[in-house]
Amino acid sequence: MDERDVARAAIQATGLVKKGVQAKAAAVGLVIFFVGLLLLGSFFPGGGEASAASCEDTGAGTSDASPTSSTPTRSSGRATGTLRDQQITYAKTIDSVAKKNKLPGRATLIALMTAMQESTLQDLDHGPPGVDAIGLFQQRPSMGWGTKAQIMKPAFAAESFFEGRGTNKGLADVAGWQKMPLHKAAEAVQHSGQGKLYAGHETAMRKLAKDAGINLEHDANATASTSKGTRPKPVTSENHGCGVNKPTAPGGAGGSAGGKFTDGTQTWKLNNPRSVKEAIAWAKKTAGQPTSANWYQRCLAFTAIAYGWSVSGVNYAIDHYQVVPASMRHDGDRHPPAGALMYWDTHHRAGHIAIYLGDGKVASNDILRPGFIDVVDAELIETKWGSKYIGWTPPIFPRAG
């Protein structure tokens, strides 16, 4: 999205907002959002489908429209700046720790893929509800990975991932990790039970490493499990495959976890700046070839913006389901009305949300191309990502602005 695209989009957005003082404030917020996109930059440049996107679990709704400084700074090891600035800073920290421990670039790549899946490569001070997981790798103080203060230091967390901590094994302790498929090496450290999800981040992390000036091909003196004088053939997710187990329907039949999605009906009283009809039209217009690559892991932001808001007011897509009043949640129902918000558990902290367009279709980011919006069958979120469908709600945003 260049400056002309941003300007046009901002003008169109403000033109769709209703008249009135409150609506004008929302329009200003939308303009600020589109200008903010220039500051945030694009995580992925325009281009074709990522080679490992077929198993990529990138449904995180972790970023809204608020612009932040484009200059990263560091305080106690924690990065600031835009999401991409922070990811680059943490990537450099991880690579420096790998080099310090005489590990090759392959170790850095495995760590980056792991951190991207676990925390969106962010130094999070929280994890899933009821779990004390924190930091880049979502390590748990209760499991002996260190104190909370220690784990929240990116360099400490990275060293733990590589070298282990307490009774926890690190990557260097895993016999034959240099020859394993990348996601299996990551799972050998993390024990997540969802190891295949790491594989989907390889392409994105290779791109991030390149942008950060990280050489993933350097040798260094790896652990003793690599024979002297030999170099193992690189093993990638692409050449080992990274398919997700396809859910089965009740009764053992093939297909998605619960069958087709069909249209339901409901009358809503909403206060969104855009109507359901306008939001669906906007989503369809945004999808496909005209899409810019600014939507990577920003599913919640996309749904809020489609309905005319500048921010959703909620950090994670999965949390938005709980923000909606319980009486409006339709758990497991596969008959959403057009315009409804649909939710999935992706085995990732953030989950996934998409707009139901009717006729079994959704507008979703990342499902075909990381960073882009595409119109696809709603079932694809389950069959391609192995996600669990949670349910749908009316398109309401109690904390939006």
Side-chain angles (χ1 to χ4, degrees):
M1 179 178 283
D2 61 23
E3 290 82 356
R4 290 173 297 177
D5 293 329
V6 171
R8 284 194 295 268
I11 293 171
Q12 291 171 355
T14 55
L16 287 171
V17 179
K18 297 177 182 178
K19 295 181 180 179
V21 175
Q22 185 176 2
K24 288 181 179 178
V28 172
L30 285 170
V31 175
I32 292 173
F33 158 67
F34 284 109
V35 173
L37 286 178
L38 290 177
L39 298 176
L40 286 169
S42 172
F43 191 89
F44 291 94
E49 181 178 0
S51 56
S54 61
C55 58
E56 192 153 7
D57 177 27
T58 53
T62 56
S63 178
D64 273 316
S66 304
T68 56
S69 169
S70 60
T71 304
T73 59
R74 305 265 320 259
S75 177
S76 301
R78 299 193 72 185
T80 60
T82 68
L83 173 63
R84 183 169 178 274
D85 288 336
Q86 293 177 49
Q87 290 171 329
I88 286 177
T89 298
Y90 291 133
K92 289 180 177 179
T93 297
I94 289 171
D95 185 54
S96 67
V97 173
K99 290 178 178 177
K100 177 183 176 182
N101 287 278
K102 302 185 185 303
L103 294 170
R106 179 179 178 78
T108 296
L109 177 58
I110 293 170
L112 292 178
M113 291 165 59
T114 304
M116 192 65 183
Q117 171 63 28
E118 296 289 351
S119 67
T120 323
L121 200 51
Q122 295 289 283
D123 194 18
L124 301 180
D125 61 0
H126 60 278
V131 180
D132 63 339
I134 53 175
L136 290 172
F137 299 94
Q138 291 288 278
Q139 295 156 336
R140 302 179 62 182
S142 64
M143 299 298 290
W145 285 100
T147 66
K148 181 175 181 179
Q150 289 173 326
I151 297 172
M152 288 299 294
K153 295 179 180 178
F156 181 94
E159 185 169 55
S160 297
F161 178 83
F162 290 129
E163 299 296 324
R165 188 73 61 182
T167 60
N168 298 298
K169 291 184 177 181
L171 182 65
D173 299 315
V174 177
W177 68 267
Q178 297 92 336
K179 296 183 179 181
M180 288 183 181
L182 301 172
H183 69 282
K184 289 187 176 181
E187 176 64 4
V189 178
Q190 297 296 104
H191 304 289
S192 69
Q194 298 291 335
K196 288 184 179 180
L197 296 180
Y198 299 121
H201 298 291
E202 180 184 352
T203 299
M205 292 303 94
R206 287 186 181 277
K207 172 64 170 61
L208 178 66
K210 182 178 180 181
D211 291 346
I214 296 172
N215 177 16
L216 296 177
E217 305 304 321
H218 74 84
D219 274 320
N221 296 321
T223 56
S225 56
T226 300
S227 301
K228 291 183 179 180
T230 64
R231 180 182 182 183
K233 181 180 179 180
V235 181
T236 67
S237 296
E238 284 89 341
N239 63 33
H240 272 71
C242 53
V244 176
N245 293 330
K246 188 174 183 178
T248 57
S256 69
K260 294 283 186 181
F261 287 94
T262 57
D263 296 1
T265 58
Q266 182 167 318
T267 301
W268 294 315
K269 291 183 179 180
L270 306 172
N271 65 343
N272 298 319
R274 287 185 184 144
S275 67
V276 170
K277 183 178 180 179
E278 290 171 334
I280 290 177
W282 185 89
K284 289 180 176 179
K285 184 177 181 180
T286 303
Q289 292 303 316
T291 314
S292 67
N294 286 304
W295 298 107
Y296 182 67
Q297 294 197 330
R298 301 184 69 242
C299 57
L300 181 55
F302 173 74
T303 61
I305 292 165
Y307 274 97
W309 300 103
S310 58
V311 292
S312 69
V314 180
N315 288 331
Y316 295 105
I318 203 73
D319 294 345
H320 192 268
Y321 192 70
Q322 301 302 321
V323 170
V324 175
S327 61
M328 297 183 179
R329 301 177 208 152
H330 298 264
D331 297 344
D333 183 74
R334 301 180 80 86
H335 309 286
L341 305 181
M342 300 174 67
Y343 305 78
W344 290 266
D345 177 356
T346 60
H347 314 296
H348 186 288
R349 169 65 180 88
H352 189 64
I353 186 172
I355 298 175
Y356 186 63
L357 304 179
D359 196 27
K361 304 289 186 180
V362 292
S364 174
N365 63 313
D366 299 333
I367 185 64
L368 295 185
R369 303 170 295 163
F372 294 82
I373 305 296
D374 287 288
V375 173
V376 298
D377 289 335
E379 294 175 83
L380 195 61
I381 309 298
E382 294 168 287
T383 59
K384 191 169 186 178
W385 285 344
S387 302
K388 178 183 177 181
Y389 175 61
I390 295 174
W392 64 268
T393 68
I396 66 171
F397 300 86
R399 299 182 183 177

